[in-house]
Amino acid sequence: MKTITVQHYDAFSTIPNKGNPAGVVVEGHQYSENEMQQIAKKVGFNETAFALNSDKADIRIRYFTPGHEVDLCGHATMATIYALQTQGRLGNKTSITIETKAGVLPIRLEEKEDKLYITMQHATPQFEDFNGSRAALAQSIGLNEDELHAELPIVYGSTGLWTLLIPVQDLASFEKMSPQTATFPSILKEMPTASLHPFCLQALDETADMHARHFSSPHSGTIQDIVTGTASGVMGAYYAKYIDSEGTYPKTLIVEQGQELGKDGRVHVHVNKVDNNLDIAITGTAVYVKDLKVQI
């Protein structure tokens, strides 16, 4: 039996227990893949991240839900980079690269008003059609079909991790959402393991541009994500492709998430168009909460 120290950080907030919790293991090289999975299951957060040495980048990060490994996780990246930088493990660099299963991604670090802000480049946006039942999809998150946006398309999107982007007409629908997680794979016939990401163009905070929730695939072993970095990134790409395709870029969108769960997260999504190609990055921060002890 091993006892492992996992550091609990909350991402996309500067206030403990208000952002999205992630487990961070700063010396992940000590553990096998099987042990990483066991640790993540014991911790129980949506993701636990393990920092490793890399021969392709400054560091390598692996991400595990309680159920399986994922290619990329925005909030756990924020937490891991914040932990490494504030513990002096990055040599106070202002830019680094990270190796992930979604590719090698650049990270920028900026100290501003005694806070550390982390900007994370995302993988090239991809979209795929959703051809399933809109009615069944709405029902799977506790809504009626007429609460979905009548004009905007429902599509799978990825900037490193696939999710189904579901535009919803009104902010009022979000409070009553209730995910029937077990039904997701049968509805998502094209990508049965994708998560669901309902969002709308109204927000509680007048400084925010979009509001969202995020419901996990049943394969992940969790129900929902409080504040989602990767899905916020692909929301920015969706905005530029389907909502404001003729707009002026670059621009930064503020996504709010977590309010229905008593949290209050913000993700700054940077969207640029270069020769009709979309370039996506997100900025956030994190805060240390406490050390957790788990046994495997």
Side-chain angles (χ1 to χ4, degrees):
M1 185 79 74
K2 292 182 182 178
T3 300
I4 296 99
T5 299
V6 180
Q7 297 166 358
H8 169 190
Y9 284 82
D10 282 345
F12 301 122
S13 177
T14 57
I15 303 169
N17 300 309
K18 279 295 182 184
N20 196 1
V24 177
V25 179
V26 293
E27 295 185 343
H29 62 273
Q30 299 181 34
Y31 306 104
S32 68
E33 181 174 311
N34 182 55
E35 288 173 327
M36 291 180 192
Q37 186 63 74
Q38 290 181 61
I39 292 166
K41 186 173 183 179
K42 285 288 182 73
V43 170
F45 292 153
N46 279 62
E47 274 87 10
T48 294
F50 298 81
L52 306 155
N53 295 327
S54 171
D55 56 8
K56 299 178 181 177
D58 290 291
I59 58 165
R60 180 185 178 203
I61 306 177
R62 296 182 70 177
Y63 311 90
F64 289 80
T65 75
H68 62 96
E69 185 174 8
V70 294
D71 292 348
L72 185 67
C73 173
H75 83 273
T77 300
M78 296 288 158
T80 304
I81 300 301
Y82 188 95
L84 294 173
Q85 179 77 332
T86 55
Q87 293 173 33
R89 294 172 180 267
L90 296 178
N92 291 317
K93 294 179 180 178
T94 57
S95 64
I96 63 167
T97 54
I98 61 170
E99 178 191 350
T100 74
K101 289 197 170 183
V104 173
L105 303 174
I107 302 282
R108 295 196 313 275
L109 302 103
E110 182 183 11
E111 292 272 359
K112 195 163 53 179
E113 298 172 353
D114 294 327
K115 294 183 176 68
L116 174 64
Y117 290 92
I118 300 156
T119 298
M120 171 187 177
Q121 188 71 31
H122 278 209
T124 301
Q126 301 176 73
F127 295 100
E128 297 288 345
D129 292 341
F130 169 72
N131 298 308
S133 164
R134 287 171 57 93
L137 179 63
Q139 187 176 16
S140 76
I141 55 174
L143 300 184
N144 298 315
E145 184 179 357
D146 61 9
E147 292 177 87
L148 303 182
H149 200 288
E151 296 168 8
L152 294 174
I154 298 167
V155 295
Y156 298 94
S158 172
T159 50
L161 197 65
W162 286 100
T163 191
L164 184 69
L165 292 154
I166 308 169
V168 174
Q169 196 76 44
D170 295 313
L171 186 61
S173 297
F174 284 76
E175 189 70 45
K176 68 177 187 177
M177 288 180 181
S178 176
Q180 311 302 310
T181 312
T183 67
F184 292 174
S186 64
I187 297 166
L188 310 181
K189 296 187 188 305
E190 301 90 352
M191 293 189 193
T193 62
S195 55
L196 269 60
H197 196 73
F199 69 94
C200 76
L201 299 175
Q202 301 169 1
L204 295 165
D205 185 338
E206 63 182 19
T207 67
D209 299 289
M210 305 168 89
H211 182 90
R213 294 187 72 174
H214 189 86
F215 301 124
S216 309
S217 162
H219 300 279
S220 71
T222 61
I223 302 298
Q224 60 184 310
D225 207 12
I226 296 167
V227 193
T228 320
T230 49
S232 293
V234 83
M235 278 170 67
Y238 182 103
Y239 185 93
K241 183 176 176 68
Y242 297 105
I243 297 171
D244 189 23
S245 61
E246 302 301 319
T248 302
Y249 293 88
K251 66 176 58 179
T252 296
L253 303 168
I254 299 176
V255 176
E256 65 175 22
Q257 194 183 330
Q259 289 73 26
E260 293 82 7
L261 302 173
K263 308 287 186 175
D264 192 20
R266 296 286 184 283
V267 185
H268 289 72
V269 184
H270 312 293
V271 186
N272 198 9
K273 280 186 175 181
V274 182
D275 298 329
N276 247 8
N277 295 316
L278 289 171
D279 182 86
I280 304 294
I282 63 170
T283 296
T285 187
V287 61
Y288 170 77
V289 182
K290 62 184 177 182
D291 282 1
L292 307 171
K293 301 290 185 182
V294 299
Q295 291 189 319
I296 60 169

